[in-house]
Amino acid sequence: MKKRQHLIMLMLVVGMAAITCVQACQQQVSQLGPFEFLDKLSSYGFFVGETKNLQPAARVLHYTLNTPLFTDYALKDRFIVVPANKEMQYKDSGVLDFPDSTFIIKNFAYRNEAGAKVMIETRLLFKDPQSHEWKVMNYIWDDKQSDATKLIVGKKVPIKFLDDDNQLQQTVYQVPNTNDCKRCHINNSDIQPIGPKVRNMHIGDQLRKWATAGYLKGLPAEEQIPTLPNWQDSAKYTLAERARAYLDVNCAHCHTQTGDAFNTGLFLEYDQHDKNKLGFMKNPVSAGAGAGGMDFDIVPGHAHQSILAYRMNSVEPGTAMPELARTVIHKEGVQLIVEWINSLPKQ
């Protein structure tokens, strides 16, 4: 590990200022054996200046999503690191294909009582050029907010934070271990990115800017790019569209035919049209006591009788859904799903 870091730093100092530390890492993989995650977040050179400011270096692309995953009202910053002389590829199905040696970065922070941003953790995905498979690693920020250190085993962090209504809450934030990360990211037995999907990234002109700059190839005409609704935009999208988008992002990475919860038969993708697979009057397969004594995942017109709404409105282990990624109830998300279920024609 030390040899790798020394080589990287030497290459940067002796005239490779135009190449980020990330690309130097890429070059070292073939020379020093299998890729290994570095000990410190700052060692990658993702950001210029103080690491906590998250100012992206060259080829580190900041991006936003139409509908983000909820994680305890966390503030999230997302980046894709595109390797030198390579580009992302748009596929006909709307899939974004990432080249080997791509990093995907997701930073988590919260607003403290004074409204200041406090870093908690940074998660990395790296597409290994040797195996062509994605690898995961977490980094936890130090108390001084100067850097983040590699963390494999996970950690519980007591925090007090302001939610979206500026109401003070407190919780024990769960920094996941690497196995937790793999569990959510597993799709068809392989680790895959969750957030950066074309339909959820088609917001503003960020995709078009990447295409113009040469970071993204194959982007079709604007009207041909699929778009996932913004769950908060009630002026542009219907209640059903917003609710389905919310369920897609927060649930469908597991609740899909190739996901971790495939055995439940509950599939919540935005383009799923089978009412039984969506849970309409469907008996749960593996909910157990988590069903709260209810008989169906969704009872149209009756949110208070629907297991889906019940589990979203809980933080109890064995009941709460999603069971990973949150420790508090997303009030606004629960309200959206309750309103949607109540609006459905009764059967």
Side-chain angles (χ1 to χ4, degrees):
M1 177 65 69
K2 290 183 178 179
K3 181 180 178 182
R4 181 192 300 275
Q5 292 174 329
H6 290 163
L7 281 171
I8 291 169
M9 295 309 296
L10 178 61
M11 292 169 71
L12 288 172
V13 170
V14 297
M16 299 190 66
I19 302 178
T20 70
C21 187
V22 174
Q23 284 125 25
C25 283
Q26 176 192 356
Q27 294 178 9
Q28 293 304 308
V29 167
S30 59
Q31 299 175 26
L32 298 180
F35 173 81
E36 296 179 24
F37 286 100
L38 302 180
D39 291 334
K40 298 289 186 179
L41 181 64
S42 60
S43 298
Y44 293 98
F46 293 139
F47 308 110
V48 297
E50 293 186 72
T51 305
K52 69 177 182 180
N53 292 332
L54 303 180
Q55 294 299 316
R59 304 191 71 84
V60 179
L61 311 178
H62 180 266
Y63 70 94
T64 56
L65 300 176
N66 287 303
T67 289
L69 178 75
F70 173 76
T71 308
D72 291 352
Y73 293 97
L75 307 175
K76 300 179 183 180
D77 292 279
R78 304 170 179 84
F79 306 87
I80 297 172
V81 185
V82 183
N85 303 315
K86 294 186 179 181
E87 63 278 322
M88 298 174 283
Q89 182 71 42
Y90 181 97
K91 299 295 186 181
D92 290 340
S93 57
V95 173
L96 201 58
D97 186 29
F98 299 96
D100 287 344
S101 297
T102 294
F103 279 93
I104 296 177
I105 307 166
K106 190 175 182 181
N107 187 78
F108 295 73
Y110 65 92
R111 290 188 300 143
N112 65 14
E113 296 174 75
K117 184 177 182 179
V118 181
M119 304 297 200
I120 311 176
E121 59 164 324
T122 303
R123 303 177 190 175
L124 300 185
L125 280 173
F126 176 71
K127 193 172 184 181
D128 192 333
Q130 293 192 1
S131 65
H132 311 296
E133 297 176 348
W134 290 95
K135 296 184 175 181
V136 300
M137 186 55 62
N138 276 19
Y139 289 77
I140 188 164
W141 283 82
D142 58 34
D143 292 338
K144 295 181 180 179
Q145 298 282 282
S146 60
D147 207 346
T149 302
K150 183 167 66 174
L151 182 72
I152 297 174
V153 297
K155 188 174 182 179
K156 297 181 179 180
V157 183
I159 63 172
K160 292 182 179 180
F161 65 94
L162 296 176
D163 64 20
D164 289 351
D165 290 327
N166 289 317
Q167 298 298 308
L168 185 64
Q169 294 197 40
Q170 61 182 14
T171 190
V172 179
Y173 181 91
Q174 307 280 345
V175 179
N177 60 52
T178 52
N179 284 332
D180 289 335
C181 294
K182 292 175 183 178
R183 180 180 171 188
C184 280
H185 283 271
I186 284 292
N187 189 285
N188 219 8
S189 300
D190 294 322
I191 295 175
Q192 297 291 337
I194 295 175
K197 295 182 175 68
V198 168
R199 64 183 182 182
N200 205 15
M201 300 172 73
H202 188 202
I203 177 173
D205 59 355
Q206 68 178 350
L207 293 177
R208 189 62 59 191
K209 284 182 177 179
W210 293 353
T212 301
Y215 297 123
L216 174 60
K217 298 296 184 182
L219 190 68
E222 196 75 9
E223 62 274 10
Q224 295 178 300
I225 305 174
T227 303
L228 191 72
N230 177 342
W231 75 275
Q232 294 179 300
D233 190 350
S234 59
K236 187 174 181 180
Y237 300 103
T238 67
L239 174 61
E241 289 171 334
R242 293 187 293 120
R244 292 293 308 279
Y246 183 92
L247 292 175
D248 180 283
V249 170
N250 285 275
C251 310
H253 50 277
C254 288
H255 282 278
T256 186
Q257 185 68 51
T258 54
D260 187 63
F262 73 93
N263 62 314
T264 66
L266 180 66
F267 303 142
L268 299 172
E269 310 95 335
Y270 184 74
D271 53 2
Q272 177 62 252
H273 301 296
D274 186 312
K275 289 187 176 181
N276 182 257
K277 291 179 179 179
L278 283 170
F280 287 36
M281 302 305 293
K282 176 186 173 301
N283 296 116
V285 173
S286 58
M294 302 178 196
D295 295 322
F296 304 106
D297 291 332
I298 293 178
V299 180
H302 300 283
H304 67 285
Q305 297 176 14
S306 301
I307 297 170
L308 180 66
Y310 172 75
R311 301 191 75 171
M312 286 180 59
N313 200 35
S314 173
V315 293
E316 294 298 321
T319 298
M321 279 291 171
E323 57 186 353
L324 296 174
R326 73 170 179 91
T327 62
V328 301
I329 295 169
H330 189 196
K331 299 175 295 184
E332 297 83 359
V334 170
Q335 180 181 353
L336 173 71
I337 299 305
V338 166
E339 290 179 0
W340 171 61
I341 293 176
N342 285 337
S343 73
L344 298 171
K346 298 178 182 179
Q347 296 184 6

